């Protein structure tokens, strides 16, 4: 924003120098870039050019770079000067977006990202001016930053601008660019709630780029759009369509690292629909196909939980026991062990609800035998006795109740 008073212009210059002296070279460069873009004819231009050059030195150590910049910045409006400063902003932004190698608290190598700062630098680069060959890269990165920051409506506008400017018959975009931009706009529109427009974009991308590099993402997004409609409008047809798209993505891209997440999405979708047997089958498929994936422990746990909700307690208990054997050091080990106990107890009530009185009695007595010190053991025997009494098997009921007195009289 252009300063409107003489005092404001001078304050801008002084702040840039103060930031530099305080060790905030990047902030100083941001200020000088904006100043040179807005006040190219100001009497302060010389001072700001020196601050910009010094900031460049602080950020990019080699003295030759600073000398070259000073030689090229011979006028505030010189394209070469703006391009040099703009290129620096792009390099800094790329580092923030892609991540800088650092160490975490455990000494492991990780990439530290700062998407918000990257977005600011990319925007500074466009404001100052970048080489035409870099401009598309910067616009794409701005769109991706906006998506990551949850500003999907604004992101779709950037993708749309790229399509409008370069993707026509006479445009400069190649097929890969057109695919990226169309998928980007569709993805942004989907997350912005513009589902009809998103579906149109994604179907157009699939038709125009049937073997494109983003083919799997297109299929997954088409599936996600249908599942969202199914959830919002209780649309069973849309749900089945969504499942079909995601299953197709898995089948056609088995070796893709995203296949495990897609399998998980199917399982979660079935859980949300209350289709627990199908959910369990998808969790089982995830473990079978990707046994070493980081999601495998969760998949085993949720497979068992889904089986329990479907009333298949023996299979649920077996699945949880496989979890306990396969992941002895997992943080959820104790919780899963308790789920085995809970499922063993719940099996009796489920059998009783299914009018399987003998099965209920066997389940409750089995619980008391397997977990005699559990606080629910006396209750299990009491329930077993009640079930026998309800069947007019009074002697058997009394025998079970005597066990309560004998074991738990205290």
């Amino acid at each position: 924003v252009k300063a409107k008073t003489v005092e404001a212009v001078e304050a801008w210059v002084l702040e840039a120098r103060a930031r530099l002296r305080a060790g905030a070279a990047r902030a100083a460069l941001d200020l000088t870039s904006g100043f040179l873009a807005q006040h190219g004819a100001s009497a302060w231009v010389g001072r700001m050019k020196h601050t910009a050059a010094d900031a460049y030195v602080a950020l990019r150590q080699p003295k030759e770079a600073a000398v070259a910049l000073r030689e090229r910045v011979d006028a505030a409006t010189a394209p070469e000067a703006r391009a040099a400063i703009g290129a620096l902003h792009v390099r800094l932004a790329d580092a923030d977006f892609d991540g800088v190698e650092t160490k975490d608290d455990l000494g492991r190598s990780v990439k530290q990202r700062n998407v918000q700062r990257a977005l600011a630098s990319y925007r500074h680069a466009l404001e100052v001016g970048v080489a035409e060959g870099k401009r598309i890269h910067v616009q794409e990165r701005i769109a991706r930053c906006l998506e990551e920051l949850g500003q999907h409506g604004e992101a779709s506008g950037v993708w749309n601008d790229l399509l409008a400017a370069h993707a026509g018959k006479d445009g400069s975009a190649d097929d890969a660019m057109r695919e990226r931009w169309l998928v980007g706009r569709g993805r942004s529109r989907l997350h912005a709630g513009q589902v009809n427009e998103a579906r149109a974009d994604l179907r157009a991308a699939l038709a125009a780029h049937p073997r494109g590099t983003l083919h799997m993402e297109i299929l997954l997004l088409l599936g996600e759009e249908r599942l969202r409609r199914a959830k919002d409008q209780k649309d069973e047809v849309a749900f089945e369509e969504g499942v079909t798209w995601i299953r197709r993505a898995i089948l056609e891209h088995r070796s893709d690292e995203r296949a495990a997440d897609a399998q998980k999405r199917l399982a979660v979708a079935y859980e949300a629909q209350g289709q627990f047997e199908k959910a369990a089958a998808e969790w089982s498929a995830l473990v079978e196909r990707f046994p070493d994936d980081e999601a495998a422990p969760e998949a085993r746990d949720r497979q068992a939980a889904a089986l329990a909700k479907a009333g298949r307690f023996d299979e649920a208990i077996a699945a949880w026991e496989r979890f306990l054997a396969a992941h002895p050091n997992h943080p959820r080990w104790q919780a899963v062990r308790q789920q085995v106990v809970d499922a063993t107890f719940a099996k009796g009530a489920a059998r009783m609800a299914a009018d399987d009185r003998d099965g209920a009695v066997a389940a409750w007595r089995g619980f008391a035998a397997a977990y005699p010190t559990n606080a629910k053991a006396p209750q299990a025997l009491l329930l077993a006795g009640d079930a026998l009494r309800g069947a007019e098997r009074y002697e058997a009921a009394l025998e079970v109740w005597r066990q309560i007195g004998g074991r738990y009289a205290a």
Side-chain angles (χ1 to χ4, degrees), residues 352 355-358 360-361 364 381-398 400-401:
M352 198 69 179
D355 202 26
D356 179 8
R357 193 177 295 269
D358 289 342
V361 171
W364 280 319
L381 292 173
L382 181 63
L383 290 168
D386 284 342
L388 290 166
R389 183 183 62 177
E392 299 183 352
R393 295 166 59 184
Y394 301 115
E395 287 299 326
L398 286 171
V400 172
W401 287 335

Side-chain angles (χ1 to χ4, degrees), residues 83-296:
I85 297 172
L88 175 57
H89 280 300
V90 175
R91 286 195 296 273
L92 293 169
D94 284 344
D96 278 332
F97 186 86
D98 296 326
V100 178
E101 288 286 348
T102 186
K103 299 289 185 181
D104 66 9
D105 294 339
L106 299 177
R108 298 170 298 189
S109 293
V110 295
K111 285 208 168 186
Q112 186 174 2
R113 302 176 70 227
N114 190 326
V115 177
Q116 186 71 60
R117 192 166 66 181
L119 176 60
S121 290
Y122 284 130
R123 283 174 163 165
H124 276 305
L126 287 185
E127 180 182 315
V128 175
V130 294
E132 192 58 36
K134 277 286 186 182
R135 188 173 184 83
I136 288 176
H137 167 77
V138 172
Q139 288 177 289
E140 286 189 6
R141 284 294 178 90
I142 287 175
R144 290 175 63 186
C145 287
L146 290 168
E147 286 191 70
E148 289 199 34
L149 294 169
Q151 300 174 39
H152 300 292
E154 192 174 350
S156 70
V158 178
W159 292 120
N160 188 66
D161 290 344
L162 284 164
L163 284 163
H166 305 286
K169 291 183 178 180
D170 300 325
S172 57
D174 57 28
D175 282 347
M177 289 178 179
R178 292 189 184 94
E179 182 188 28
R180 275 200 312 273
W181 301 342
L182 194 52
V183 173
R185 188 174 70 180
R187 182 178 59 241
S188 298
R189 284 175 164 176
L190 176 61
H191 293 307
Q194 301 171 1
V195 290
N196 293 331
E197 296 86 348
R199 184 168 64 253
D201 279 343
L202 295 167
R203 287 184 175 273
L206 185 62
H209 310 282
R211 292 183 176 83
T213 57
L214 300 181
H215 183 254
M216 184 179 189
E217 183 177 1
I218 294 171
L219 297 177
L220 292 173
L221 288 170
L222 284 167
E224 191 62 36
E225 183 275 323
R226 292 285 82 192
L227 291 180
R228 289 191 180 195
R229 178 183 177 88
K231 180 181 178 181
D232 293 341
Q233 302 187 19
K234 310 299 181 185
D235 188 333
E236 293 183 8
V237 173
F239 178 81
E240 293 303 327
E241 289 174 345
V243 166
T244 299
W245 282 117
I246 295 175
R247 204 177 297 285
R248 177 181 168 186
I250 296 169
L251 292 174
E252 295 185 16
H253 300 274
R254 288 180 178 273
S255 60
D256 193 289
E257 62 182 11
R258 293 168 292 179
D261 285 338
Q263 192 82 54
K264 179 178 178 178
R265 182 67 184 94
L266 277 183
V268 171
Y270 279 124
E271 283 181 343
Q273 290 290 107
Q275 299 183 37
F276 296 112
E277 290 195 9
K278 289 184 177 180
E282 297 301 335
W283 289 121
S284 177
L286 193 158
V287 174
E288 181 180 346
R289 294 176 184 175
F290 312 99
D292 299 323
D293 190 88
E294 63 180 11

